[in-house]
Structures are given as structure tokens and as C-alpha cells.
Amino acid sequence: MNAGTQMVKLTYREAAREGLRDALARDPRVFLMGEDVGHYGGCFAVSKGLLQEFGPERVRDTPLSELAFTGMGIGAAMGGMRPIVEIMTVNFSLLALDQILNNAATLLHMSGGQFNVPLVIRMATGAGKQLAAQHAHSLEGWYAHIPGIRVVAPATLADVRGMLWTALEDPDPVLIFENNTLYTMEGELVVDAGPVDIDHARVLREGGDVSIITYSASLHKSLAAAETLAVEGISAEVIDLRTLRPLDDATIMGSVARTHRALIVDEGWRSGSISAEISARITEQVFYELDAPVERLCSAEVPIPYARHMEQAAIPQAESIVATVKRMVQSHG
Amino acid sequence: MKNKTKQTAKVDRDHGLRLLRKMLLIRRFEAKSAELYSAMKIRGFLHLYDGEEAVAVGVMEALTPEDAVVATYREHGQALARGVNANAIMAEMYGKKEGCCRGRGGSMHLFDAAARFYGGNAIVGGGLPLALGFALADAMQGKKRVTCCFFGDGATAEGVFYESLNLAALWRLPVLFILENNLYAMGTAICYAHAVADIAPKAASHGVQTEIVDGMDVLAVEKGARRGAEFVREGNGPYFIECRTYRFRAHSMFDAELYRTRAEVDKWRKRDPIASFFDLCREQAVLSDADLEELERDVAAEVDGAVAFAEAGTWEPVEELTRYVYSERRPR
């Protein structure tokens, strides 16, 4: 067996680390900076060992200055480097939002095409670890509102390793959202897994009765739901969006045109969400293909609570996906 | 902290002509811009540098073409002093395709890759981390370059100012910080915004080498900037210069100037950086009234040329509206 097909068992966290190691080893312009990425080994242990392997020039611990070090990443990217900025959680990224929106997303346009910003920002997102209302939100949909940046949400080992590679080659800013409940997920990956495209959604399970359109941690809940539904004779197609901006309309619409029903599962809040955007696009583009209204399963519109039962009740679950699909199929058979 | 003020150095004729011409160009270019604003040729916000010319002109003397400049939203003077083409700036303010940013930026967002001129930042303090990033990139690539970052006293009330000073000092980044302290953040006097209105010690407290110069004296600014640029270029870390200056005109074209007295403005006008520098050159018999007249004619021709260029410019086709949101070439 050659290296190209040899599989290795690892976690999502380890796959993310392999992606960082690939990047640092491959390109001397790449460096990682953020809070606790070096000596601590990363808040979620993603960058553990990289300081020892690549040294303090390439793996840089920063002070708790999200706005300054994110802006510094923008300048360094414009200055010829390929920085990876790690922000500990999506809630902390709000401290850097000025630089992300007013500079990273804007400079190319504002300068009349003179300056692109080849910056990658990684951050943890999502509820499920009882981290409560200032560490656990899913704001990737917000970021997807902003023209000028790309927003990706790897849900698989191959994507969390390979999306970083492609993102670093992109001339424009790419935000990578890693759901923190996925870090312990185990799976198998080709030893030398390489870059993956960041432009297309992927159909992960084919089906004929309904399209479940989702991303990140909700993908796995949707796949579990599809298993359950199959036992009951309902065939669900599951789409991993992978990239939230720009959205891959062709894959979404192609699926809905085959299944004639669409359920969007999104861990963001419902109002003004990425699920709302997808629903609107389905209505605009394939309205006459629909046999039932488009439905959405989103987070409850509350700050994420601490207590486990409340937290779990606030976000979409496999059970609620199953129940929603059954209702959609049965009431609009 | 050093506190260098009046210098008595002899002015060399070519040097004097160059500094005076640059300051005059900024003054006349902006006077014309204000007229054009009233004539509705220029719209949006227009912030004039009138009174602060010595700062940009003095600082740029210390920089090489390889250095980078990160500017504020009151940056026509910074751009002109850096050598960004006056035609391209005027066309930009007209919103024309021939502008330095194809009309996408306007007065507050002048950019020029050739001059390594990076904005035009209209989020106060927003340029500080960018400057750190350019400096970090230079340091990591072994380039002995300086990144010069302009900002006003308003920016020193932003959290990012303190974050940036700390990081620049901590990582010994090659940044030349230029504080243009004109005493007002828009209409809020520094005493209403800072518990401690003395700014330079705040930079010094972060371990940044600091100096204060008379921002109305172009030679003092230049001297300080040369010291600072050399310090930075030699790998000693960041350097911070507070230039004490004053804005003669309103904050923008919408400002009724209710927050300061006419007497205060008149007092500062007596220290006009252009008039006082010319007087110095004349005292030293380096420049004459005839020289000044010739410079005025020369500058007027350049300004007229810029206006003609902008008038003759074209509008970018609306079909191109969504260009430059993402790069047009991607590897995969």
C-alpha cells in the first residue's frame, strides 16, 4: 500500500493539527498567531507541539488583543506573508470584528483592486460543551453576510485538514469555523490527505424524499437522522454546505429539484440566519419544484444556556430533525 | 523621553524649496478641494489638513520608497507628501475611474501600491494594527524597512492604540508611530476625552521610545522623524513621535466649529507652518519672495492640472460595480 491510500485513524482535532503542520512545513510565509497557540498548545489543543516543532517565529503567542492581532494578520498578509490567525472562540471574534469587516473584507474594493488580503482566520464555534452564553454561539451565518470574505465550516476530517491548505492559497480572506464539539470526533483519513475545494457543497447521502441542507456539527446529527428515517421508509438526502459564503446554489437547487422538499438545519439563531438566506434562494430559484414549504430547524432564540438539558434543547438534534422530516413528508405526501 | 523643540540648523536651498513646495501644494490643493466641494464636484466627507502640513512633509523626508505609510482619513496631505500623484487624488475625490482607487474610495480612502501608501483609514485607530502587520512581515522576511503609521489624538482613546503599542514593543516591530496631536477628536477637546491629556508618556509606558516635536515646525518634524526612522531601521523596535499641531479649518465641511474660539484659531494661525518656514528661509537668505511667487505659480499649475485631469476623467461603468469584492484570479 502506498502513502496515497494508506489510511490512519485520528480525531478531528488531530486532522486540524495536521493541516497546520502541512501549512507550516510547506510554505515559509505561513505562520500561526493567536492566544495560547504556542506554550499552552492551543485552547482546544489543536496546535499542541507546533511551537516545539516550528519555533516561536512561526507559532506566536499573542496578548489578549484580538483587534490588534487580527489587524496585524491583515497587514502581514498584505506585506507578503500568509498568516493564520486563531481566535479562541467566535464570541471573542467580535472584539476583532472591526478589522475583519472594515479592513479584511473591504480593502480590495476600497483600493480599487490594488490590495488583496490573503489571510486565514480560524475560530471555534458552536454549543454543546456547556460553555454558556459568551463562548458557544454560532455566528458563522453573520460572517456569511459580509461580501469580500469566504466563510467555510469543515465538518469532516478531510475538510478540516484540507480546507486550510486551499484557504491559504486563496488571494482573499477566508474564515474557518471549527465546531468545538467535533474536535473529539474520530475517523479515518488518508495519511497524506491534501487540499480540498472550498467552493462546493457536497451530497453526503443520496435520497429521494427530502433534502436536508446543513453544515458543521449539525451534519452529523442530520446523517444520524437520515439513518433513522431510512428505517421508517423515508429517504433523506443530506447536503454538507461546507462553504457558507459564497453559497453553492447549484448543488442545493439540484438536490431540491430531485427531492421536492427542503429542510435546513442550522445551529445559528433563526431570525436573519444563513438558513433564512438558503430558504429565500430555494423559493426564488426552484419554487415550482417544491411539494412542501421549505422548513428550518435552528437554535432557539436565546443566549446559549449553561445547564446541559437546556443547552441541548436550544440547538437542533437528530430527534427534532427526524420529527420535522416525518411531518413534512406525511402532511405533504 | 526626549523633548526636542526649536532647532536652528541652516537650511539648504534645494531642501528648503522642496519642503516649501510640498507644503504649499497641500495647502493649495486642499483650498481648491474645498471650493470644489462647495461646487458639488466632490462629495461625501472632506477633511482638510490645513495647518498640519509640516507633519506629513517633515516625516516623509525620513522615509525611503521601500518604506510603507499607513495614513488616516485626513490624508490628502499625507498622500501628496508621500508622492501620490495629485491628478490621481483629485480624480479619486471626483469619483472618477482615473482616481487612485478608481473612485471606490474617495477622500477618506486614498491608496497607492506604487507609493506603498496604505490608506486612507476612516476607522479611527484602524490603521495601527495594519502597520504592525506590515512591520511584522518585513521583520519576518528580513527586510530593513520602516512602516510609518499616522494617527490623531482621537485614536489614542481607542483600545486598539494600547493593544498596538504593547504588541509593537513586545515584538520590537519596525514601526514609526506618528501622532498628529491637533488637540481635538472631531469637536471634542483632548481635555474632555482623556483623564491624562499628555499622550506621549502613555506610549513611553509601554516601553516605546518616545519624543515630542513641534508639529508646526517642518524642520523639527523632519529631524525627529529621521532620528525615529533610523532607530527603527536599525532594528531597535518601534519609535513614537508626538507632533503637536493644529487644524486651522473645520473638522469637515459640515462642522460649525462651536467647540473652539476664533481667538484660539487665530493664535495658532500665527504659527502657520508654511509662513513661518518661508520666513526662516528668507531670514537665512536661502529663499526670496520671487522664489515663493514662482513656487506659487508652479503649485497652482499642478493643482489646475489635477482639476483638469479629474474633469476629463471618466465614470467607471456601472456594470463593474461588483468587481474587486473578490480577487479575479484564484489558483483553484
Side-chain angles (χ1 to χ4, degrees):
Chain A
M1 209 185 275
N2 64 34
T5 54
Q6 194 186 333
M7 302 296 282
V8 61
K9 202 174 166 195
L10 75 175
T11 61
Y12 181 95
R13 171 188 290 117
E14 289 162 341
R17 186 185 304 140
E18 285 310 303
L20 289 168
R21 183 179 281 124
D22 288 342
L24 287 160
R26 192 176 59 245
D27 186 343
R29 299 173 303 171
V30 171
F31 67 99
L32 173 67
M33 69 174 158
E35 294 158 0
D36 280 319
V37 298
H39 294 89
Y40 189 96
C43 178
F44 295 98
V46 172
S47 55
K48 197 173 162 192
L50 297 179
L51 170 66
Q52 290 72 21
E53 193 174 342
F54 295 98
E57 275 278 296
R58 312 279 310 282
V59 179
R60 292 174 167 262
D61 280 321
T62 63
L64 275 62
S65 304
E66 286 85 355
L67 186 54
F69 70 72
T70 302
M72 186 159 57
I74 295 167
M78 294 167 76
M81 301 299 285
R82 290 294 178 274
I84 303 168
V85 168
E86 176 175 316
I87 297 176
M88 219 178 251
T89 81
V90 67
N91 286 76
F92 302 173
S93 77
L94 302 183
L95 293 162
L97 190 52
D98 163 47
Q99 286 292 334
I100 296 171
L101 171 55
N102 286 319
N103 277 337
T106 308
L107 278 162
L108 178 69
H109 186 86
M110 210 161 53
S111 68
Q114 292 182 79
F115 303 114
N116 59 302
V117 182
L119 171 68
V120 172
I121 303 174
R122 297 173 44 241
M123 60 185 108
T125 183
K129 296 275 192 190
Q130 290 191 261
L131 298 176
Q134 293 181 341
H135 279 70
H137 288 126
S138 289
L139 303 179
E140 50 276 358
W142 261 20
Y143 282 102
H145 181 62
I146 303 172
I149 59 177
R150 292 178 189 279
V151 176
V152 303
T156 64
L157 271 55
D159 277 356
V160 79
R161 177 165 175 177
M163 277 181 163
L164 178 66
W165 185 317
T166 314
L168 283 165
E169 289 181 344
D170 201 279
D172 301 314
V174 181
L175 271 55
I176 302 179
F177 289 88
E178 299 167 10
N179 187 291
N180 67 47
T181 64
L182 294 178
Y183 284 127
T184 52
M185 181 178 76
E186 291 186 328
E188 286 201 330
L189 193 61
V190 181
V191 167
D192 60 350
V196 296
D197 97 84
I198 57 169
D199 292 329
H200 299 99
R202 188 178 294 142
V203 177
L204 281 194
R205 180 188 177 110
E206 293 189 355
D209 294 329
V210 61
S211 300
I212 303 176
I213 300 155
T214 187
Y215 68 95
S216 197
S218 298
L219 171 69
H220 302 284
K221 293 173 183 174
S222 298
L223 288 168
E227 275 302 306
T228 306
L229 289 162
V231 173
E232 302 193 27
I234 296 171
S235 165
E237 181 148 304
V238 179
I239 297 174
D240 178 5
L241 288 167
R242 303 178 66 247
T243 297
L244 303 187
R245 185 179 189 100
L247 281 170
D248 176 7
D249 286 2
T251 298
I252 298 168
M253 304 314 155
S255 175
V256 175
R258 284 191 300 276
T259 65
H260 309 292
R261 293 182 188 88
L263 168 65
I264 306 151
V265 183
D266 171 14
E267 214 183 282
W269 290 305
R270 184 181 182 89
S271 300
S273 61
I274 191 74
S275 64
E277 175 63 28
I278 295 165
S279 173
R281 290 188 189 202
I282 291 170
T283 308
E284 286 161 355
Q285 297 178 39
V286 289
F287 179 76
Y288 294 107
E289 297 287 351
L290 291 172
D291 283 348
V294 176
E295 298 234 15
R296 293 184 286 152
L297 264 175
C298 304
S299 278
E301 303 222 338
V302 294
I304 294 296
Y306 162 70
R308 179 161 175 79
H309 68 295
M310 296 292 269
E311 182 187 39
Q312 292 299 320
I315 59 178
Q317 303 292 355
E319 297 72 28
S320 51
I321 298 169
V322 168
T324 306
V325 168
K326 282 166 82 172
R327 182 167 45 72
M328 288 171 74
V329 172
Q330 285 156 8
S331 59
H332 300 278
Chain B
M1 197 187 330
K2 289 172 267 179
N3 194 337
K4 300 271 161 46
T5 48
K6 207 70 188 169
Q7 56 71 53
T8 49
K10 273 278 196 192
V11 186
D12 161 76
R13 180 174 161 82
D14 286 347
H15 186 203
L17 278 171
R18 185 171 72 245
L19 295 179
L20 190 60
R21 187 187 189 286
K22 275 188 165 187
M23 290 195 289
L24 267 180
L25 174 64
I26 296 168
R27 181 73 58 91
R28 303 302 176 231
F29 182 93
E30 289 203 313
K32 178 56 82 175
S33 301
E35 267 177 46
L36 291 164
Y37 196 91
S38 300
M40 297 179 63
K41 295 282 189 180
I42 298 172
R43 296 279 85 194
F45 279 138
L46 183 73
H47 306 95
L48 304 181
Y49 201 58
D50 194 347
E52 304 184 30
E53 294 90 345
V55 177
V57 171
V59 167
M60 296 307 174
E61 287 291 299
L63 303 182
T64 71
E66 290 74 39
D67 294 334
V69 176
V70 177
T72 68
Y73 60 87
R74 190 182 302 286
E75 88 284 27
H76 314 137
Q78 295 154 1
L80 286 166
R82 179 59 179 172
V84 179
N85 184 278
N87 292 357
I89 298 173
M90 189 60 84
E92 183 63 30
M93 295 203 287
Y94 268 65
K96 296 286 182 76
K97 188 176 151 189
E98 291 74 12
C100 55
C101 301
R102 301 174 68 88
R104 304 282 175 131
S107 162
M108 295 193 289
H109 305 295
L110 305 174
F111 290 85
D112 184 7
R116 296 204 75 217
F117 190 82
Y118 299 100
N121 289 282
I123 304 297
V124 172
L128 288 158
L130 284 191
L132 265 60
F134 288 118
L136 177 63
D138 286 341
M140 290 184 78
Q141 293 169 102
K143 294 174 177 166
K144 277 183 100 175
R145 306 199 291 200
V146 174
T147 298
C148 177
C149 185
F150 289 85
F151 52 97
D153 49 286
T156 68
E158 296 280 2
V160 75
F161 172 70
Y162 300 92
E163 292 186 14
S164 299
L165 278 177
N166 176 53
L167 258 166
L170 183 70
W171 291 3
R172 294 173 67 87
L173 297 175
V175 182
L176 179 59
F177 292 103
I178 303 294
L179 164 59
E180 299 179 321
N181 184 355
N182 68 14
L183 304 176
Y184 291 89
M186 203 163 137
T188 300
I190 202 160
C191 63
Y192 296 127
H194 287 261
V196 175
D198 206 5
I199 306 296
K202 301 184 190 196
S205 75
H206 286 81
V208 179
Q209 187 73 36
T210 302
E211 121 168 45
I212 299 168
V213 300
D214 178 0
M216 308 306 271
D217 177 348
V218 68
L219 294 175
V221 173
E222 180 185 342
K223 211 168 157 187
R226 285 189 185 279
R227 257 193 307 271
E230 186 179 329
F231 180 92
V232 170
R233 210 180 299 283
E234 290 309 309
N236 299 308
Y239 198 92
F240 182 102
I241 303 176
E242 175 178 348
C243 303
R244 295 196 167 160
T245 184
Y246 197 79
R247 156 171 68 68
F248 293 161
R249 294 212 196 197
H251 164 74
S252 74
M253 305 305 282
F254 298 99
D255 170 11
E257 293 191 77
L258 304 172
Y259 50 85
R260 62 184 188 181
T261 63
R262 184 65 190 266
E264 179 184 301
V265 179
D266 288 345
K267 192 187 87 187
W268 278 91
R269 276 190 185 278
K270 292 198 180 82
R271 304 196 47 220
D272 186 311
I274 299 176
S276 59
F277 182 65
F278 176 67
D279 288 347
L280 178 79
C281 292
R282 195 167 46 184
E283 276 165 31
Q284 294 190 6
V286 173
L287 297 180
S288 66
D289 287 341
D291 289 324
L292 181 61
E293 280 165 29
E294 195 184 328
L295 277 183
E296 287 278 21
R297 275 195 301 276
D298 184 33
V299 160
E302 183 167 350
V303 172
D304 289 347
V307 175
F309 179 83
E311 287 284 346
T314 57
W315 306 110
E316 190 175 9
V318 171
E319 292 69 37
E320 295 187 12
L321 174 65
T322 56
R323 283 187 75 183
Y324 313 121
V325 177
Y326 294 97
S327 297
E328 287 169 4
R329 279 182 305 188
R330 296 175 71 209
R332 68 177 90 224

